[in-house]
């Protein structure tokens, strides 16, 4: 009987509903098709790089893996540094806009944060190379003098300020509006009854945020951070303009020699690449694709593991 009723309802479905349902199915499938097409293209074009003759690689590299290893390191290193700097500031700004600022001021700050996300990356690159690097260089010299015993801050200090730490600061500013906007919207969705209950029990404003707002918004904070990390991993122009790169694994943050990133390396070398060199650059792009995919899978796993502890349930 139930099967007959379901069949009757399906038969009576309006043409508009069928068209809309089919359109959404096609749109959803298109995303998977494009993703698969990009992956197949990169994989096919990368195969010659994996078996290329060592003479095709410049410098001291003898195979593809020794070529791409420092690039993967530099990409992840700079992106994680940017994330460490951006996430606490973004959470603070989002909490101020959502729970502390007056309504008119909060609206204005929200607009400014959204507008900051629209600034082109080349503008951030110009700011980093023309303003931030010269201003930060004296500070870097002091940091090396004070904390040179710690490997990341060991010298010799860069004379121009164009270091991987400067790049990380630029990336942090670039991903800040994305993380802030998402966190702000998540914090505003906190159930009002949860906040009022905490305040009624005698909690201060900060204790209410710590007990009600942050646990509720933790999955959203993780999602925002991973989205910002994906932006930082794939950033090209700002990194290429600011960084003084080398093809080595370098842990020092303030020296003139710095590990390059995959995206910046492709942008700098693709115009002159030919033959197997093009395949090598596409293969590094495949590595970036894999790293980004793994980051998103990790973020999804973390969010799913935290759903049971969020206020959404």
């Amino acid at each position: 009987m139930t099967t007959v009723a379901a069949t009757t309802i399906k038969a009576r479905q309006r043409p508009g509903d069928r068209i809309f349902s089919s359109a959404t199915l096609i749109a959803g499938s298109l995303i998977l098709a494009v993703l698969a097409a990009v992956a197949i293209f990169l994989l096919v074009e990368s195969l010659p790089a994996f078996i290329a003759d060592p003479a095709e690689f410049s410098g001291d590299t003898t195979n593809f893996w020794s070529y791409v290893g420092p690039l993967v390191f530099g990409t992840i290193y700079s992106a994680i540094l940017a994330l460490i700097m951006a996430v606490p500031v973004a959470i603070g700004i989002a909490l101020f806009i959502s729970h502390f600022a007056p309504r008119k001021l909060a609206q204005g700050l929200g607009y400014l944060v959204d507008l900051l996300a629209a600034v082109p990356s080349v503008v951030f690159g110009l700011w980093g190379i023309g303003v931030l690097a010269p201003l930060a260089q004296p500070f870097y010299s002091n940091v090396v003098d004070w904390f040179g015993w710690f490997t990341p801050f060991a010298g010799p200090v860069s004379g121009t300020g164009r270091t991987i730490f400067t790049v990380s600061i630029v990336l942090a500013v670039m991903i800040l509006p994305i993380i802030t906007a998402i966190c702000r919207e998540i914090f505003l969705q906190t159930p009002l009854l949860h906040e009022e209950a905490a305040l009624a029990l005698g909690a201060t404003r900060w204790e209410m945020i710590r007990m009600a707002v942050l646990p509720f918004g933790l999955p959203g904070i993780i999602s925002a951070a991973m989205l910002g990390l994906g932006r930082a991993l794939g950033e090209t122009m700002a990194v290429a303009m600011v960084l003084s790169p080398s093809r080595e694994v370098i842990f020092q943050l303030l020296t003139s020699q710095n590990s390059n990133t995959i995206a910046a390396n492709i942008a700098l070398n693709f115009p002159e690449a030919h033959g197997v060199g093009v395949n090598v650059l596409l293969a590094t792009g495949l590595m970036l694709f894999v790293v980004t995919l793994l980051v998103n899978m990790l973020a999804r796993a973390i969010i799913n593991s935290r759903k049971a502890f969020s206020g959404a349930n």
Side-chain angles (χ1 to χ4, degrees), residues 217-237:
L218 184 58
I221 294 173
I222 297 173
S223 300
M226 293 301 104
L227 185 62
L229 180 60
R231 169 73 189 276
L233 289 171
E235 179 53 41
T236 303
M237 287 309 301

Side-chain angles (χ1 to χ4, degrees), residues 46-109:
S46 301
L47 290 177
F50 298 142
I51 57 176
D53 187 83
E56 298 289 344
F57 298 92
S58 59
D60 299 330
T61 54
T62 57
N63 55 62
F64 172 74
W65 301 109
S66 62
Y67 176 85
V68 75
L71 298 176
V72 174
F73 170 80
T75 301
I76 298 176
Y77 197 29
S78 60
I80 290 179
L81 289 173
L83 198 66
I84 292 173
M85 289 184 280
V87 169
V89 177
I91 293 175
I93 296 173
L95 286 174
F96 178 75
I97 293 175
S98 61
H99 286 82
F100 289 94
R103 179 172 299 181
K104 292 184 178 181
L105 178 60
Q107 291 178 348
L109 288 176

Side-chain angles (χ1 to χ4, degrees), residues 124-125 127-128 132 165-175 238 242:
F124 284 108
W127 170 72
L132 180 60
F165 192 73
T166 302
V167 168
S168 299
I169 296 175
V170 173
L171 291 177
V173 175
M174 294 180 68
I175 66 177
V242 175

Side-chain angles (χ1 to χ4, degrees), residues 236 239-241 243 245 260 262-272 281:
T236 303
V239 178
M241 294 172 66
L243 192 63
N260 202 359
I262 294 177
N265 182 69
I266 294 174
L268 292 173
N269 294 302
F270 197 84
E272 291 81 20
L281 294 179

Side-chain angles (χ1 to χ4, degrees), residues 186-197 208 212-213 216 311-312:
I186 293 295
F187 295 155
L188 288 173
Q189 297 302 318
T190 305
L192 188 59
L193 290 177
H194 292 190
E195 299 180 5
E196 292 177 345
M208 178 271 292
V213 178
F216 176 85

Side-chain angles (χ1 to χ4, degrees), residues 22 42 44 52 68 90 94 112 120 130 151 160 167 169 178 182 201 228-229 232 236 278 282 287 295 306 308 310:
S22 301
L42 289 174
V44 171
V68 75
L112 289 177
T151 300
T160 62
V167 168
I169 296 175
I178 300 174
I182 297 176
L201 292 173
L229 180 60
T236 303
V278 176
L282 289 173
M287 295 300 104
V295 166
R306 295 294 307 180
S310 71

Side-chain angles (χ1 to χ4, degrees), residues 205-291:
R205 179 70 66 88
W206 161 242
E207 289 172 338
M208 178 271 292
I209 290 174
R210 182 168 56 86
M211 292 187 297
V213 178
L214 292 180
F216 176 85
L218 184 58
I221 294 173
I222 297 173
S223 300
M226 293 301 104
L227 185 62
L229 180 60
R231 169 73 189 276
L233 289 171
E235 179 53 41
T236 303
M237 287 309 301
V239 178
M241 294 172 66
V242 175
L243 192 63
S244 177
S246 64
R247 294 175 184 173
E248 300 177 27
V249 175
I250 301 174
F251 288 92
Q252 287 83 358
L253 299 174
L254 307 177
T255 62
S256 58
Q257 296 296 316
N258 306 274
S259 299
N260 202 359
T261 66
I262 294 177
N265 182 69
I266 294 174
L268 292 173
N269 294 302
F270 197 84
E272 291 81 20
H274 61 278
V276 180
V278 176
N279 300 106
V280 171
L281 294 179
L282 289 173
T284 61
L286 176 64
M287 295 300 104
L288 180 59
F289 181 86
V290 172
V291 169

